Amino acid sequence: MSENYKFSQHRKCEYFPCHKTANEDEFNCLFCYCPLYMLKDKCGGNFKYTKNVKDCSDCTIPHTQKAYDFVMSKMGTIIKIGSERNLEPK
């Protein structure tokens, strides 16, 4: 069974590749914007904070061949955070 849904590339994109890479043929565009950004320091990526803003410009995890499996391994945490209610008075 194929797993083509785990990899996508957009070579015509004016930003391709959006991160430095040793091999453009393996650059995965499936997660153009990282769905793990909201996990702050628990995303598992190579990030830094610059003026209190998370800077992921040195992270290529969402653009690897194994990106799909890595992101899916974090989805339980994302669902939990997204399901939390803000019970503060309005």
Side-chain angles (χ1 to χ4, degrees), residues 10-52:
H10 305 290
R11 287 187 176 264
K12 290 184 179 181
C13 174
E14 55 272 23
Y15 300 106
F16 182 85
C18 59
H19 293 269
K20 292 178 186 174
T21 181
N23 187 347
E24 286 186 2
D25 291 334
E26 293 180 1
F27 193 86
N28 192 350
C29 301
L30 183 64
F31 299 111
C32 180
Y33 291 94
C34 185
L36 304 180
Y37 184 85
M38 67 170 296
L39 295 179
K40 302 175 186 169
D41 62 346
K42 300 194 179 13
C43 67
N46 181 25
F47 65 91
K48 60 187 172 243
Y49 282 98
T50 305
K51 296 182 182 177
N52 292 325

Side-chain angles (χ1 to χ4, degrees), residues 40-71:
K40 302 175 186 169
D41 62 346
K42 300 194 179 13
C43 67
N46 181 25
F47 65 91
K48 60 187 172 243
Y49 282 98
T50 305
K51 296 182 182 177
N52 292 325
V53 175
K54 188 175 177 183
D55 176 358
C56 305
S57 58
D58 291 333
C59 184
T60 58
I61 288 176
H63 302 295
T64 64
Q65 296 281 332
K66 305 248 183 217
Y68 180 87
D69 293 325
F70 184 80
V71 169

